[in-house]
């Protein structure tokens, strides 16, 4: 795929999405970046901002139809928009879990269904879904977030099988902790159960410290651009911790990986 592509990146107001959109623009792509509120979003050089809420089907259809009308095609869709949640599984309400899946999983379903008729018609396209190392390595006190990313992984692999006949491929990018507002300000479950207080506090502290020491989004953005414009691969893990964790999960025995994970979250 050449660089002169029409690219849609969801969730470009900050973090990974913003860094990714900027890199596509520098590669000469025509970039549309989605935000929930255009009036509150800071401009981004080389990127046309459009309003879209991935949790609202009408909003998704309207925004992506606008792109097709303006650009006549969509070559790349990057599903970056999403949210997080910290808390024990027992503490997580069904309403909180539903809201998380609405953004992280059903948002991808909505955007993919909105672009695929155009991609099928043009017989080409790439869909890049931002997963997480928690999509293959669940972590304590991030159970529903990990579940949503496991769902993204399964959805993406299945979708790739189904759409490659049309010249469309689907990829996953699996970052580790990244220095973004999403991770630093991750919401916590509203209802707390006292029995989990000690460990939840330890895990929350470990998450904040990991984010503070994590790299900026540029490395993840590089992996996303390569997934979209380079040779197709199902999964890409940015260099550093994400790549290391992927290898540990695949090649190390389960017990040492489990022990190391608990230690990194302060659980001994």
């Amino acid at each position: 795929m050449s660089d002169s592509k029409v690219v849609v990146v969801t969730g470009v107001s900050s973090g990974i999405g913003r860094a990714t959109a900027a890199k596509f623009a520098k590669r000469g792509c025509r970039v549309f970046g989605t935000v929930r509120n255009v009036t509150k979003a800071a401009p981004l050089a080389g990127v046309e901002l459009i309003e879209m809420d991935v949790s609202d089907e009408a909003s998704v259809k309207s925004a992506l139809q606008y792109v097709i009308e303006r650009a006549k095609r969509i070559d790349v869709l990057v599903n970056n928009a999403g949210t997080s949640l910290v808390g024990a599984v027992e503490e997580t309400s069904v309403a909180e879990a539903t809201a998380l899946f609405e953004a992280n999983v059903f948002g991808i379903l909505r955007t993919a269904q909105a672009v695929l008729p155009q991609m099928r018609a043009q017989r080409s396209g790439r869909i890049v879904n931002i997963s997480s190392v928690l999509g293959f390595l669940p972590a304590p006190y991030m159970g529903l977030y990990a579940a949503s990313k496991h769902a993204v992984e399964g959805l993406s692999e299945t979708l790739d099988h189904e759409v490659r006949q049309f010249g469309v491929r689907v990829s996953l990018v699996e970052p580790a902790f990244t220095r973004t507002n999403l991770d630093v300000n991750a919401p916590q479950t509203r209802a707390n159960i006292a029995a989990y207080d000690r460990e939840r506090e330890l895990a929350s502290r470990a998450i904040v410290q990991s984010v503070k020491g994590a790299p900026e989004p540029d490395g993840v953005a590089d992996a996303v651009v390569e997934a979209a414009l380079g040779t197709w691969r199902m999964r890409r893990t940015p260099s550093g911790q994400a790549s290391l964790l992927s290898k540990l999960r695949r090649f190390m025995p389960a017990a040492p990986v489990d022990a190391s994970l608990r230690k990194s979250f302060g659980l001994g």
Side-chain angles (χ1 to χ4, degrees), residues 139-161:
Y141 298 92
M142 298 188 77
L144 270 298
Y145 178 78
S148 75
K149 292 303 185 180
H150 273 64
V152 168
E153 300 253 333
L155 176 67
S156 300
E157 286 203 56
T158 294
L159 183 59
D160 180 68
H161 282 297

Side-chain angles (χ1 to χ4, degrees), residues 65-242:
Q65 186 56 40
Y66 169 83
V67 174
I68 292 168
E69 288 171 359
R70 289 290 301 273
K72 310 305 180 190
R73 61 187 297 116
I74 295 178
D75 297 297
V76 176
L77 167 66
V78 177
N79 281 308
N80 164 73
T83 188
S84 186
L85 185 67
V86 176
V89 170
E90 188 182 353
E91 296 173 319
T92 308
S93 70
V94 171
E96 287 171 324
T98 300
L100 191 70
F101 271 68
E102 279 289 351
N104 291 4
V105 183
F106 303 139
I108 288 176
L109 179 61
R110 292 183 187 99
T111 58
Q113 288 178 341
V115 302
L116 278 169
Q118 177 62 38
M119 288 184 173
R120 283 191 288 105
Q122 66 198 32
R123 306 295 294 185
S124 66
R126 292 275 179 97
I127 298 174
V128 182
N129 295 329
I130 308 299
S131 179
S132 165
V133 294
L134 298 191
F136 61 80
L137 185 63
Y141 298 92
M142 298 188 77
L144 270 298
Y145 178 78
S148 75
K149 292 303 185 180
H150 273 64
V152 168
E153 300 253 333
L155 176 67
S156 300
E157 286 203 56
T158 294
L159 183 59
D160 180 68
H161 282 297
E162 295 167 354
V163 299
R164 66 178 70 172
Q165 64 181 309
F166 308 117
V168 181
R169 300 306 301 262
V170 183
S171 294
L172 290 155
V173 174
E174 302 167 320
F177 285 120
T178 307
R179 203 180 310 169
T180 69
N181 291 333
L182 174 67
D183 286 329
V184 170
N185 302 319
Q188 301 219 357
T189 51
R190 288 187 289 273
N192 289 338
I193 297 172
Y196 293 106
D197 283 352
R198 186 188 69 84
E199 279 203 349
R200 187 192 332 97
E201 178 58 30
L202 288 170
S204 297
R205 219 177 298 152
I207 291 167
V208 171
Q209 289 305 312
S210 294
V211 172
K212 285 181 178 177
E216 298 287 345
D218 281 354
V220 182
D222 286 335
V224 174
V225 172
E226 190 57 31
L229 302 179
T231 304
W232 177 85
R233 276 174 24 203
M234 186 70 238
R235 286 175 171 79
R236 290 180 186 269
T237 49
S239 59
Q241 187 185 33

